[in-house]
Amino acid sequence: MPSDSAVRIVWIYPDLLSTYGDQGNVLILEQRARRRGIPVETVHVRSADPVPDSGDIYLIGGGEDRPQILAAERLRRDGGLARAIDRGAALLAVCAGYQIMGSTFGGEEGQPVAGIGLLDIESTRGPARAVGELAAEVDTGLGGHILSGFENHMGVTRLGPGVRPLSRTIVGTGNGDGTEGCHAGKIVGTYLHGPALARNHWLADVFLGWVTGPLAPLDDAWHERLRAERLKAVLPA
Ligand code: GLN
């Protein structure tokens, strides 16, 4: 059982949704907490198992259409994630996981599939696959940073009034309307792999800060090198 002082991280359905190194998001959170002396307890919840509602930070990754549909059905039936969010837990949802958090998303034939309704978004299948590097300017509510990552999806996502865009795209497609991702309360949705938190360590600290309060600074030289290399490759000189 988790002790009261540990940050409890829950990685949802690694057997269905974990493409392009999304599990690295878990590792980055663990590492950035531990480097500050903050204990962490991580649970990997496979899709046959119940999602505990006692976590602090939940993560869910991307995947192909069929596993995405299965994951949505199981999460809805399970109810644990929705209860955790009601309690005030934080969630990072990537790509297929991001679409699942909305009201509907497009299945493998473009048919509408019900999501679990934790975010006021709606996704459909777009005209072309969005694939490649993405850079975007982050909404100031979460800090004035450039988001860096890799996208590969067919979905386009329309944001409702209950969410704010996470960022405005500079390079890449994101939601398909000039914005990338969204946030509402302590939920962040994004199309970005990379993994996202290795590329955007400041975002990992947003999540940890929501749980623990103000954080001690870290030496971020390796993250900065990775970001500089990726952004140089995509941003106009
Ligand atoms: N299957 C979804 C789409 O193509 C999500 C893809 C992904 O998670 N990489 O839009």
Side-chain angles (χ1 to χ4, degrees):
M1 286 300 287
S3 64
D4 281 347
S5 59
V7 173
R8 290 159 300 188
I9 297 174
V10 182
W11 174 231
I12 298 173
Y13 298 172
D15 53 330
L16 293 179
L17 299 176
S18 179
T19 50
Y20 307 115
D22 290 337
Q23 190 176 340
N25 293 329
V26 178
L27 302 178
I28 296 292
L29 283 175
E30 289 175 342
Q31 186 209 39
R32 293 185 75 77
R34 288 188 179 130
R35 283 170 68 197
R36 293 175 165 112
I38 302 167
V40 179
E41 291 172 14
T42 303
V43 187
H44 290 206
V45 182
R46 293 175 68 80
S47 59
D49 296 328
V51 177
D53 57 16
S54 55
D56 296 308
I57 304 176
Y58 290 74
L59 299 108
I60 184 166
E64 289 165 8
D65 297 339
R66 284 302 307 164
Q68 176 175 355
I69 293 169
L70 266 180
E73 285 167 4
R74 290 180 185 186
L75 277 177
R76 190 167 344 97
R77 217 177 318 131
D78 178 82
L81 177 60
R83 285 195 301 277
I85 297 300
D86 272 353
R87 279 188 28 247
L91 167 67
L92 175 67
V94 171
C95 206
Y98 169 40
Q99 295 176 6
I100 286 173
M101 298 308 144
S103 56
T104 52
F105 61 87
E108 71 274 46
E109 305 294 338
Q111 77 279 17
V113 178
I116 65 167
L118 297 183
L119 284 172
D120 181 13
I121 62 169
E122 187 181 274
S123 302
T124 51
R125 230 170 137 80
R129 179 162 290 277
V131 52
E133 285 289 318
L134 188 146
E137 215 164 328
V138 174
D139 177 271
T140 48
L142 292 179
H145 300 270
I146 301 286
L147 197 64
S148 166
F150 171 81
E151 62 180 336
N152 185 357
H153 57 101
M154 284 295 290
V156 296
T157 297
R158 202 183 49 75
L159 308 188
V163 298
R164 295 175 65 177
L166 176 62
S167 59
R168 312 239 154 236
T169 50
I170 307 167
V171 174
T173 303
N175 295 324
D177 63 355
T179 66
E180 193 315 285
C182 78
H183 70 110
K186 287 191 255 172
I187 307 180
V188 174
T190 176
Y191 271 109
L192 291 187
H193 306 278
L197 297 184
R199 298 268 201 113
N200 305 282
H201 54 293
W202 56 270
L203 185 56
D205 285 356
V206 168
F207 276 90
L208 290 173
W210 278 335
V211 180
T212 66
L215 294 164
L218 292 177
D219 175 357
D220 288 327
W222 283 102
H223 289 289
E224 297 295 354
R225 277 170 74 171
L226 173 63
R227 285 174 64 74
E229 188 270 328
R230 290 289 79 208
L231 291 174
K232 186 163 174 244
V234 294
L235 289 179

